[in-house]
Amino acid sequence: MENKKARFLIGLSMKAGKIAGGEFAAEKAVKQGKAYLLVLAEDASANTEKKFRNMCAYYGVPLVRFLDKEALGKAIGREYRACLAVLDENLAREIRQQLAQQEK
């Protein structure tokens, strides 16, 4: 089941200018300490997943898997995206809470 509230919050974050969309921008945000959450598409490649899992573990950034590449891109009004970083602490916390509730 898709979490509509989490998708809405990602879109809201984009409108607020608090999303680094795409692998390059997300990687830069994580390394600069600006990312509070990394959202990885469920259909991202194994190499992409390994790269971001290791990077997020090193920099202490939570990582969640949500949506597929196409839906993740649509959520921020762009073409498909394998990952994106949320640059606002409160929005990141709320997105994580929504996704955690979905898993229950």
Side-chain angles (χ1 to χ4, degrees), residues 5-71:
K5 184 149 188 205
R7 180 186 261 211
F8 168 78
L9 287 165
I10 289 171
L12 187 69
S13 303
M14 184 66 185
K15 287 186 183 103
K18 299 293 182 183
I19 291 283
E23 289 184 46
F24 182 76
E27 180 177 351
K28 186 176 173 189
V30 170
K31 289 182 175 176
Q32 289 177 342
K34 293 179 180 175
Y36 290 96
L37 176 67
L38 192 108
V39 181
L40 188 66
E42 289 169 350
D43 60 347
S45 72
N47 283 343
T48 301
E49 181 182 0
K50 182 175 189 282
K51 171 182 159 182
F52 281 102
R53 280 211 186 272
N54 292 340
M55 187 191 323
C56 287
Y58 181 81
Y59 288 96
V61 176
L63 183 144
V64 295
R65 298 203 70 160
F66 182 53
L67 302 173
D68 58 24
K69 289 182 200 174
E70 190 175 334

Side-chain angles (χ1 to χ4, degrees), residues 65-97:
R65 298 203 70 160
F66 182 53
L67 302 173
D68 58 24
K69 289 182 200 174
E70 190 175 334
L72 197 57
K74 273 186 185 168
I76 62 169
R78 300 281 189 272
E79 291 293 308
Y80 69 93
R81 293 285 187 262
C83 67
L84 51 85
V86 181
L87 310 178
D88 181 89
E89 190 172 7
N90 295 323
L91 287 165
R93 186 182 322 110
E94 190 62 32
I95 292 166
R96 285 182 68 200
Q97 285 175 350

